[in-house]
Amino acid sequence: MHRIDVLTLFPKAFNGYIDHSILGRAQVRDIINVKLHDIRGYSHDKHHTVDDYPYGGGAGMIMKPEPIFEAIENVKREIQVDKVPVILLTPQGRLLNQDVAVELSKEQNLILICGHYEGIDERVAEHLSTDEISIGDYLLSGGETAAMVIIDCLVRLFPGAIGSDVSLIEESHVRGVLEYPQYTRPPEYRGWKVPEVLLSGNHQQISAWRREQSILRTMRRRPDLLCRADLSEADHKTIESFRSALSNN
Ligand code: ADE
């Protein structure tokens, strides 16, 4: 079973999410165990102080190192593993993508630290965490939503967590390009028809159409992904014909 320990000042922020569909089911099936730890519980003064003013001045408060160090030491004792990846969620970290998620999904244990306020005392990044991850180039008010994003990505990758593994096989097949458009009934809605080929029952044609749609969509919306995508001879032909159609217009 995979175990993820999350250190946060706001454990209640995870309410609802932890028990929600796929993650909830995965916990029931003992595929994953998510444990929340309130950092405030590791501060020893009577006001349970977890933050303080920044040395050198400036706006905002900084999370103190002691409660975070002690919380991690406590988690390591609890799981009886010393060499566990400790990931600090921060906009300064390396960017999360599917490759990073796959890398993390190989770990049996993970500890996530959610930051808050203007930041965390740098000694946490230097001497406690083993990795820093950002979920995107924007500022969140805390690392809790980022932790949920990471947990969500990981759960999907753990064998048995998703109902049918077929959807995973499909996804891994098309990795590197965007998904093709999907339709369900009715075949015509307000005059908008589902593409004919999808109703044809011809699986070879459907596969070819879907791949072509994936490639075209990626070219239009995320051309940056194409240079790293796993492209076949047919994919290159699709790209070529789309490019020459564009230049003829
Ligand atoms: N904390 C604040 N902003 C963040 C981001 N973009 N990713 C991860 N953690 C964060």
Side-chain angles (χ1 to χ4, degrees), residues 193-229:
K193 290 193 169 121
V194 172
E196 201 69 47
V197 59
L198 297 177
L199 310 176
S200 69
N202 183 329
H203 294 291
Q204 212 172 347
Q205 270 182 26
I206 291 172
S207 283
W209 180 86
R210 285 178 163 169
R211 184 66 188 177
E212 197 177 274
Q213 290 295 312
S214 280
I215 298 289
L216 295 183
R217 197 172 248 201
T218 311
M219 283 180 80
R220 287 197 196 103
R221 300 184 189 186
R222 293 293 307 279
D224 57 299
L225 294 179
L226 272 185
C227 58
R228 285 194 299 130

Side-chain angles (χ1 to χ4, degrees), residues 22 25-26 29 31 155-165 168:
I22 290 177
R25 247 183 297 138
R29 291 188 200 151
I31 293 165
V155 171
R156 298 175 53 78
L157 291 168
F158 294 150
I162 291 193
S164 73
D165 285 339
L168 270 184

Side-chain angles (χ1 to χ4, degrees), residues 39-58:
I39 295 171
R40 207 171 286 279
Y42 294 89
S43 84
H44 303 299
D45 65 304
K46 78 169 188 245
H47 299 294
H48 299 291
T49 313
V50 288
D51 58 339
D52 207 338
Y53 296 98
Y55 272 119

Side-chain angles (χ1 to χ4, degrees), residues 89-91 133-136 138-143 146:
L89 296 158
T90 160
I133 291 183
S134 163
I135 63 159
Y138 39 79
L139 273 182
L140 302 166
S141 52

